[in-house]
Amino acid sequence: MAAGPPSGVQRQPRLTLVSGPSRGGKSLWAEHLAGASGLAVIYLATGPSLPDDAAWQERLRRHRLRRPPAWGCREVGGALAAGLAQLQPGQLGLVDSLGTWVAAHLDLEPPDWGLRCDELLGALGTCPAPLVVVCEETGWGVVPATADGCRFRDRLGTMQQTLLARSEAAWLVLQGRAIDLLALSQPVPPGS
């Protein structure tokens, strides 16, 4: 039998999901969890660079400024599975975010999308480092007016449920408050 962590030391969950609506504080909470881990944090950025989008560049700048200088950062874009494969024991991967990864593959047809999801799930299963994955909540209000918007909402929601089933910790962050989902919730019974 493998020995657990020393008395008084909590084991780092293998996979932690942090979800919530826009501007609710999910990235800040994920960064807090990563920093508290005591591991070397590697930030895996899945968003596009968009050099001509001033608002996006400002958002990236704010994210970079608040990260501790000791943290590594890899701009993996849609190649998240490959980024996970590069992580090492003793590191913690902070993925921000699942939504921008989904958006990077929105043009894939269902069979290719399924393969991309399988690739990511395989990489999550073999990743030697614990992970904190930020994911956006969509569909809480306005229904997307486009086919791409509906596809994004549906794919992201399905991936979130798939990842939650594999997670050891999950947080819902809204209005600047973090709620422990696994401690305070019940699973929804499967549908027919």
Side-chain angles (χ1 to χ4, degrees), residues 14-173:
R14 295 285 313 141
L15 178 59
T16 300
L17 287 186
V18 178
S19 69
S22 295
R23 311 305 296 162
K26 61 190 174 295
S27 290
L28 286 170
W29 184 249
E31 291 165 5
H32 165 75
L33 294 173
S37 73
L39 299 170
V41 177
I42 305 297
Y43 190 98
L44 300 171
T46 61
S49 60
L50 303 177
D52 295 332
D53 184 332
W56 182 252
Q57 290 304 309
E58 176 58 22
R59 187 178 194 98
L60 294 179
R61 187 187 72 75
R62 285 192 314 267
H63 271 255
R64 289 177 184 130
L65 284 175
R66 73 173 186 238
R67 287 195 299 259
W71 287 12
C73 182
R74 298 181 187 147
E75 309 246 352
V76 298
L80 179 55
L84 295 175
Q86 294 177 357
L87 293 174
Q88 302 295 317
Q91 295 178 329
L92 178 139
L94 172 54
V95 177
D96 200 352
S97 73
L98 186 63
T100 49
W101 177 81
V102 169
H105 303 296
L106 207 52
D107 60 338
L108 294 177
E109 294 299 321
D112 293 327
W113 169 245
L115 291 172
R116 192 56 48 101
C117 291
D118 290 345
E119 176 188 44
L120 178 60
L121 294 173
L124 288 167
T126 59
C127 183
L131 300 168
V132 175
V133 178
V134 176
C135 43
E136 299 82 347
E137 291 293 342
T138 61
W140 287 21
V142 176
V143 175
T146 65
D148 281 348
C150 289
R151 185 179 308 118
F152 175 81
R153 178 199 59 206
D154 294 347
R155 286 181 175 181
L156 181 59
T158 299
M159 277 302 292
Q160 283 178 283
Q161 288 193 44
T162 300
L163 293 182
L164 183 63
R166 297 168 180 239
S167 296
E168 294 179 354
W171 296 88
L172 174 63
V173 182

